Structures are given as structure tokens and as C-alpha cells.
Amino acid sequence: MVRFERTINMPEKILESFNVKHLSILDEKGDTDESLMPSLSDTDIKMMYELLVLSRTFDHQALNLQREGRIGSYAPILGQEASQIGSAFALEKTDWIFPSFREIGVYITMGYPLHMLFQYWSGDERGVKTPEELNIFPVCVPVGTQVPHAAGAAMAIKYKNKRKAVAAYFGDGGTSEGDFHEGMNMAGVFKLPVVFICQNNHWAISVPREKQTASKTIAQKAFAYGFEGIQVDGNDIFAVYKATKDALDKAKKGEGPTLIECFTYRMSDHTTSDDASRYRFKEELEAWKPKDPILRLRLFMEKKGLWTGQYQKEVEGRAKEAVDEAVKKEEAIEHPEPKDMFTFTFEKLTQRQTKQIRDFQ
Amino acid sequence: MPWTKVYVDKSEFEKAAQLQKEGLRGLTFREALKEATAQMMEKDDRVFVMGEGVDDPGGIFGSTQGLHKKFGKERVMDLPIAENGMTGVAIGAAMAGMRPIFVHMRMDFLPMCMDQIVNHAAKWCYMTGGRTNVPLVIRSIIGKGWGSAAQHSQALQALFMHIPGLKVVMPSTPYDVKGLMVSSIQDGNPVMFIEHRWLYEQIGHVPEEIYTVPIGKGIVRKQGKDVTVVAVSNMVYEAMKAVQPLEAEGIDVEVIDPRTIKPLDEDLIIESVKKTGRLVIVDIGWKTCGVSAEIAAVVAEKAFKYLKAPVKRVTLPDVPTPNSPVLEDAYYFDYKRIVSSVKEMFREV
């Protein structure tokens, strides 16, 4: 018997490798890396600052109202304002937004009527009856389930060949859900015009970030689905804005989705039904205080001569006025009638429902 | 009328077609379903089909076969397998102005989509004060036989009937499957479109043009005066087969096909029961909390005093579908069980 023998060499091959980038532009002292600075006019920067202050004023007032029993449960955004306003500032009104439930800053930036936000948080569904000129889809409380909706809407945009994009908001907790992975996978396979914005605020109620995933970053999850992921300093409004703007431009050019991880911190409780002091250390909270997103933009503006004590007073005054007016307007809205519960179950009433209304009255 | 008629077997239709010579266009259930889909896709560019295997050579038992060649893979989309996530994608597309038809080869896959169907598709219109509705058709097929067993043959219509915000249709004839598909696509709400695999070869009269069968309207398949038999989906055919043997016993049966189980055509059923005084409900699902339970309850609430005998329910036993052909044979039933149940009802009183 003849035996053929040969020795072959099969060195290990690297098929793919990835680098996860982190983007910071504005530091805690208010200094910026000019080479990275996005193009923003002084007016833009002032507008960003005013939106930050307005959002924080709203947040504060909503907590007060909840404590007084004037609104229901509320999910505060304290500490996450730059992640929300920075990203929403890059969006156009024609873009589509799929929020989770902690996106007051996004709503305010897009020009959503403030009184309707109070209305929603008072438990009145009519508060999320988004005005016609905006494309904000319903507040989505079940965690992560809006991610496939965003992919579906992006599919519709692609099909209709429109120059628009979709922004999907969710938290670090949401990235453990199957829906997140299924939606991301779909977006990758079909190269859909969608930007996934994860506000990694480090806590999903009482579950810390390290219990959520063994991955070093959330951004890197995008690579498994064939597109780019980037981590940004979520308390740095310029970094968030730049990353979102770049991702939106890319999506609108037909170059597919992006995952942005905004590295931030939930300075308040999960909602008004929660008490974070029972499960997290005070030191952690203290360490995040100097990283405050509003403080650092203020320092930057002060150095640029865009901020004065007088300006601060005016901005705060206008914010307070707007919020107070919204509360007044909301509290004057007539309560719905019991029969109204039938009205929107279907697009139009069915025959059985008409009978049910009659029986009900 | 040729379109309200149920042709229990093919030769019956062929005979009718021959007698009529012209004007009786015959299609199978699967062809009618495909024709409705294709015509609506031609008419309305918001309509698209998505689902596992919609563009493969089999084309969902022929019901989507070849559509991708005509409309392209962008409108007849094969998907990564992820039932719940893809339901979410369909919901997102629907909210963004499209009219998706999401197809599942088996109804058993729907439990994986429950979160998106129940918590989202069924809720958004309500939760946004009517601003964002979800015009979505979810097709699913109930299997039977070939060892489909516990995870590939379930009839889960009752689960969806329970949820406010969903409509549930179960057409039985080729005419209805086309008309109801057109109505479902045009409807502004999520519609669960439930087909039985054994209906696919049924033949009947189907007009060529686009027409609608209204959602929520049942139909009397055969008029009678002694007992009302409400039969769902392919049970309509079994009920029709039971008519003659019962006639031989002197029992004149009225057969009702609800066509839509939510919203249910209560008036049609109640009027019939008022006339006959007796009700037998035949469902292809389980008994407990099933379609038959709801229909029986409606009649008990609204026509109790007209009943001459207790309501009877002919359903599957409350067990998973067996795999063994011997047990499977015992599990399913046909017209003979309907005949014996009706006869029993008359003996009891």
C-alpha cells in the first residue's frame, strides 16, 4: 500500500477585528478639543444651553408635582440632559423618533408642547397624541420593545426612498432584551437608516451596568450585527451632538445604522416609585456630580463670553415661566368622559363597542 | 348565490360550473388568497409581504408563490428568524404608513410574538389617543395531520379573541378568503388572519375583480328551522356534511359561518337561535375559554329564554395535539361527531 504524506501549514487567520472608540470633546472644566468641535453657531450653543435648563426645570417641577399628588409616577432625567438634548438637536423635524420612557429632553428639544408632557405623566393618554408636525412615536414603557419598531419604520423610509432617518432611544437595561438584538440584526441585514441611541445611565432600576452584560462597552454590540458602534461621553453635549449628527448623515446617505452608547449616569431615582439610596453607594453619586452636563457647558460658555449671571437669571426665569404656564394649561384640561375609554381601542368603533357604550351609560 | 355557497367537494363545484356555463370562475382557497394579495399589492404600494419563506419555491403552501418575482424582494421579504422582533418591525412599518402582511407558516409561532402583538400592536391606537394606529395583517396557518403534533398544529384563535384592539378573522371559502384579505389590508387595525391548512384545496367561485367581505359579518350557509350549528373555519365543511344525515332523521339544520370571530356577528347568531331554539357550536380549537365558550355565553346572555335545550359544544379535547396517528385520529373529529351531538340533543329533551 502506498501512503501519501505531506505536511501543511495552517496559520491562524484573523478574519475581523474591531476597535471601540470613545468620543469626548468638552471636559469638566469647560475646555474643548477644537479639532473635534462640531460646527455650531453661538446661537446654537445658547439654544442648547437653554434647552438643558428648560429640561431640568421641567424635571424638577414634575417631581414636585408628583410629591404633591398632582401627577402620577414620573421618570426623572437628571444627569442625562446632554445625552437627550445633544442627540435630539441633531435630528430634523422630519426624522422619526422612537422613545422609551425617560426622554423628556428629547421631547422638549423637538418642540413637543410642554403641557402635553405633563398631561401624559398625569395619566392622560391624550398627552401622547403627538402633534401632526412631529414624528414622535408612543412612549414605550415595556423595555427595549421599541427597537424593532424603529427598524420597521426605517424599512418604510428605505422603501419609500425618503431622505430621513429614525432615532431609537433605550437604556443599558434594554440591551439585554431579545427585541434589542432582533431589531439591531434586522437593521444590519437590511442596512436601514436608523440610529440606535443607548443612554447607558448605569442602572436599570436596581440592576447595575456590570450585571447587564459582560461586554466592556455597549457600543461594541453593534459590531456583531455588522455595523459601527461608538461610545461617547454622554454628559458632553458636543460629543453626543457630533456622534448623532454623523450617524444621521450616514444613515441618510444609505450607509446603514449606527449604535451610539452615551456614557452617562442616572443622578435621580428610577422613577418616583423608587428609592435608589437603598441599593447604590453615595460615593458613586458624588463622583458623578462634577461631571454635570449643564455645569460644563456653562463653564465653556463663560470662557467664550456667552454666559453671564444676568443671562442665567433670564434663562431660568423664562424656563420657570414656560413650565408654570404648561402646568396651568394642563390642569385646566377637561377630564375625559368614562365613555371615551372605548373611543380609541380600534381606529373606528365596532358595532359591539357601540352597544357596550350604550350599556355603559 | 354562487359566492355564498360552500362546495363541500370539488365535483359539486364542477357540476355547478357546468350548469352555469359562464360566469362561475373557480379558484382554490390558496389561489384566491394569493390573488387578493397580488391585486392589493398592485393597487396600493404601501402593501408588502414579510415572513419566513414567503419567497421560497413553496411560497407558504403556494399562497405567496412567485409573488417575489412579480413585486421584487423588497416587497416580498424573507426575514431573519426572530418572530417577536419581526412583529415589532412590522408594527414599526405599519405605524410609519405601510400596510404589512406578516405571514407565519404555523399558528404555533405566534406565542413567540405575543409581547409585540398584545402589548404593542393591540395597544398603540388606544394609548396614543387615536394618533398612531397599526394597520397590520398577521396571517397564520393552523396545521393538521402529518405528525404536526403539539407544536405545529395548534388552533389558538381564542387567545387573540380575548385581546381588545385585535380583530380576528377565520375565512372558510375561497370567496371569503379573498374578500376578507382585501378588507383586512384596508382595515386600520391589527387583524389576525387565521387560515386552516386543510382549506387550501377547497374550490369555490371567486370573482376576478377586487371586492370586500366585511369584517364582523357572518353568513348563513344553509337555512333550517330546528337547530343552529355555528361552525368555525374548516368546520363549516363538516357542518355542511352533517346536514343530509340529520335531514334523514327529520332534523332541519341551520348552518352559520361567523367568518369573523372578533368582532363577532352576534345578531346573526341570536336571530337564528331565536328561530331554532337550539345551538350547537363547532370549533377547531379547545373547549375551555374557547371560541365556543364565548358564543355560548353571548347566547346565554341574550337569548336564554329561547333555548329549548342546553347548548352543545363540539370541540377538541383539552389536551395537546398527539403525535401518534392512532391518538391523533381519536383527537380530531369530523361531521359524524356533529351528527351524533345534534341527535343527542334531540334525544335528551
Side-chain angles (χ1 to χ4, degrees):
Chain A
M1 203 163 81
V2 187
R3 287 180 61 191
F4 296 98
E5 276 185 19
R6 64 191 180 106
T7 37
I8 54 166
N9 198 5
M10 284 188 168
E12 197 175 71
K13 288 179 206 154
I14 305 291
L15 296 178
E16 282 258 50
S17 58
F18 305 102
N19 294 308
V20 187
K21 288 181 220 154
H22 175 95
L23 178 70
S24 290
I25 299 173
L26 174 66
D27 74 5
E28 290 165 31
K29 295 192 181 96
D31 294 317
T32 55
D33 180 335
E34 283 304 320
S35 69
L36 295 171
M37 190 63 188
S39 132
L40 286 165
S41 68
D42 288 353
T43 319
D44 288 337
I45 293 166
K46 280 169 98 171
M47 201 185 289
M48 278 178 160
Y49 185 74
E50 287 163 29
L51 287 164
L52 287 168
V53 173
L54 178 59
S55 300
R56 188 163 286 185
T57 311
F58 182 99
D59 208 48
H60 188 70
Q61 180 68 336
L63 281 176
N64 287 343
L65 292 174
Q66 197 278 336
R67 299 297 183 227
E68 289 170 18
R70 287 159 74 186
I71 65 169
S73 186
Y74 176 74
I77 66 161
L78 189 69
Q80 296 175 222
E81 293 91 345
S83 296
Q84 302 191 2
I85 288 142
S87 56
F89 207 84
L91 287 162
E92 289 173 58
K93 279 215 160 103
T94 47
D95 293 329
W96 290 346
I97 300 167
F98 285 81
S100 75
F101 54 86
R102 199 193 299 285
E103 270 80 44
I104 283 292
V106 175
Y107 278 84
I108 290 176
T109 308
M110 298 313 287
Y112 202 88
L114 295 184
H115 73 277
M116 287 178 74
L117 294 173
F118 281 124
Q119 193 184 5
Y120 173 75
W121 289 102
S122 327
D124 188 336
E125 258 99 13
R126 295 172 298 177
V128 277
K129 200 170 178 175
T130 306
E132 280 301 325
E133 68 278 13
L134 291 177
N135 291 307
I136 305 184
F137 285 84
V139 172
C140 201
V141 182
V143 177
T145 52
Q146 71 280 21
V147 175
H149 300 165
M155 209 168 79
I157 289 175
K158 193 175 175 183
Y159 171 71
K160 290 178 184 167
N161 215 2
K162 295 268 165 67
R163 205 185 146 79
K164 286 182 193 178
V166 178
Y169 287 88
F170 47 90
D172 41 315
T175 65
S176 297
E177 291 281 2
D179 276 333
F180 163 77
H181 296 276
E182 294 179 11
M184 293 262 290
N185 186 46
M186 179 78 187
V189 169
F190 289 88
K191 244 183 160 186
L192 300 175
V194 52
V195 182
F196 298 104
I197 301 169
C198 175
Q199 292 175 74
N200 168 13
N201 69 10
H202 288 82
W203 290 92
I205 310 187
S206 60
V207 182
R209 156 64 186 82
E210 64 271 17
K211 288 270 170 64
Q212 213 61 251
T213 172
S215 301
K216 190 169 181 194
T217 67
I218 285 170
Q220 74 201 58
K221 291 180 186 286
F223 297 114
Y225 300 108
F227 56 91
E228 196 191 347
I230 182 171
Q231 188 189 71
V232 303
D233 180 343
N235 288 9
D236 165 357
I237 197 162
F238 296 145
V240 176
Y241 171 78
K242 184 178 163 41
T244 315
K245 183 86 177 59
D246 291 349
L248 286 167
D249 288 347
K250 175 180 133 189
K252 287 173 190 179
K253 273 191 273 177
E255 290 167 15
T258 310
L259 169 64
I260 300 172
E261 174 189 358
C262 300
F263 197 83
T264 182
Y265 194 78
R266 192 190 81 207
M267 297 298 284
S268 191
D269 300 324
H270 168 69
T271 66
T272 45
S273 316
D274 175 44
D275 176 7
S277 70
R278 290 186 302 175
Y279 53 79
R280 67 182 184 191
F281 293 111
K282 209 176 163 220
E283 292 75 19
E284 191 180 287
L285 190 68
E286 290 302 319
W288 275 89
K289 274 187 182 161
K291 299 180 201 283
D292 184 68
I294 302 188
L295 177 69
R296 71 170 85 165
L297 184 61
R298 198 194 84 190
L299 293 172
F300 169 83
M301 288 166 73
E302 204 173 354
K303 286 176 192 175
K304 291 264 170 196
L306 295 172
W307 185 93
T308 61
Q310 180 58 28
Y311 170 71
Q312 181 69 16
K313 253 187 233 162
E314 280 168 25
V315 172
E316 279 175 6
R318 280 204 297 273
K320 197 178 173 306
E321 205 176 301
V323 169
D324 287 348
E325 201 180 302
V327 174
K328 236 187 272 166
K329 199 166 171 187
E330 192 277 321
E331 291 188 334
I333 294 173
E334 291 213 24
H335 290 301
E337 283 185 57
K339 74 168 175 58
D340 289 350
M341 78 168 95
F342 293 96
T343 314
F344 301 116
T345 310
F346 291 110
E347 194 200 14
K348 292 183 201 115
L349 284 177
T350 64
Q351 198 192 2
R352 191 177 192 177
Q353 285 183 307
T354 316
K355 280 187 203 155
Q356 280 178 337
I357 295 176
R358 218 168 38 224
D359 294 346
F360 200 74
Q361 279 170 327
Chain B
M1 299 304 271
W3 46 85
T4 58
K5 189 159 165 49
V6 171
Y7 297 94
V8 177
D9 57 58
K10 206 175 163 184
S11 61
E12 199 189 331
F13 177 79
E14 279 163 359
K15 229 186 279 170
Q18 219 162 29
L19 281 175
Q20 284 231 344
K21 291 277 192 242
E22 274 172 61
L24 206 58
R25 176 175 177 262
L27 281 189
T28 59
F29 189 92
R30 92 169 77 219
E31 289 163 338
L33 186 49
K34 191 168 101 174
E35 183 170 275
T37 311
Q39 287 179 339
M40 287 306 284
M41 286 178 80
E42 258 167 40
K43 190 184 162 199
D44 184 346
D45 68 356
R46 299 171 303 170
V47 181
F48 72 98
V49 179
M50 56 187 271
E52 219 58 49
V54 291
D55 64 347
D56 77 11
I60 316 289
F61 311 120
S63 64
T64 61
Q65 206 168 39
L67 289 180
H68 65 286
K69 287 186 191 146
K70 190 165 183 196
F71 297 101
K73 294 212 171 202
E74 270 199 343
R75 290 183 75 193
V76 184
M77 299 174 65
D78 206 3
L79 300 170
I81 186 156
E83 288 80 1
N84 197 51
M86 292 313 114
T87 308
V89 167
I91 291 170
M95 292 200 287
M98 302 291 284
R99 297 260 159 173
I101 304 171
F102 188 16
V103 192
H104 296 272
M105 238 182 278
R106 284 282 182 262
M107 192 166 201
D108 311 69
F109 308 152
L110 292 184
M112 286 186 277
C113 317
M114 277 314 234
D115 174 58
Q116 286 291 352
I117 296 174
V118 175
N119 289 330
H120 299 84
K123 302 289 192 290
W124 280 149
C125 185
Y126 187 81
M127 291 182 67
T128 59
R131 167 71 160 87
T132 307
N133 58 317
V134 183
L136 166 64
V137 181
I138 299 180
R139 275 183 57 196
S140 64
I141 300 160
I142 300 168
K144 181 184 169 185
W146 323 287
S148 292
Q151 293 163 330
H152 280 73
S153 66
Q154 296 171 88
L156 302 170
Q157 58 274 21
L159 292 181
F160 301 100
M161 198 179 176
H162 186 61
I163 308 298
L166 297 180
K167 293 186 178 180
V168 186
V169 301
M170 297 186 80
S172 67
T173 66
Y175 181 86
D176 285 350
V177 80
K178 180 172 172 183
L180 276 168
M181 177 48 80
V182 173
S183 295
S184 301
I185 294 169
Q186 289 173 346
D187 201 275
N189 305 288
V191 179
M192 307 303 296
F193 198 93
I194 303 171
E195 305 145 30
H196 196 289
R197 175 65 183 88
W198 284 29
L199 287 170
Y200 271 48
E201 313 309 326
Q202 296 293 355
I203 191 164
H205 171 63
V206 179
E208 202 165 350
E209 69 276 8
I210 294 179
Y211 60 90
T212 58
V213 166
I215 293 176
K217 282 271 173 254
I219 189 166
V220 177
R221 293 291 181 197
K222 192 242 158 221
Q223 292 200 333
K225 59 178 181 6
D226 297 329
V227 57
T228 301
V229 174
V230 178
V232 171
S233 189
N234 65 327
M235 286 300 115
V236 171
Y237 293 82
E238 298 305 317
M240 292 301 286
K241 282 187 216 161
V243 167
Q244 265 189 346
L246 286 166
E247 222 164 61
E249 303 276 332
I251 300 168
D252 186 12
V253 182
E254 176 146 306
V255 178
I256 289 184
D257 175 358
R259 304 195 286 192
T260 299
I261 56 166
K262 188 178 192 172
L264 187 67
D265 192 346
E266 295 176 4
D267 295 348
L268 186 74
I269 296 169
I270 286 162
E271 285 313 308
S272 175
V273 171
K274 280 182 180 172
K275 182 175 74 177
T276 63
R278 291 169 202 271
L279 174 65
V280 175
I281 309 153
V282 191
D283 186 22
I284 41 170
W286 294 303
K287 183 174 267 185
T288 306
C289 294
V291 176
S292 67
E294 176 63 18
I295 296 175
V298 167
V299 169
E301 273 180 336
K302 298 182 177 170
F304 186 75
K305 62 181 177 185
Y306 296 93
L307 288 174
K308 296 175 194 156
V311 171
K312 265 204 186 301
R313 295 194 273 160
V314 184
T315 66
L316 294 176
D318 280 341
V319 297
T321 314
N323 193 7
S324 143
V326 177
L327 299 183
E328 198 185 47
D329 202 39
Y331 176 75
Y332 288 116
F333 61 88
D334 63 8
Y335 75 96
K336 292 189 236 66
R337 174 93 64 87
I338 304 174
V339 171
S340 63
S341 297
V342 172
K343 279 163 72 177
E344 205 175 295
M345 179 183 243
F346 279 86
R347 264 202 306 277
E348 276 168 5
V349 180

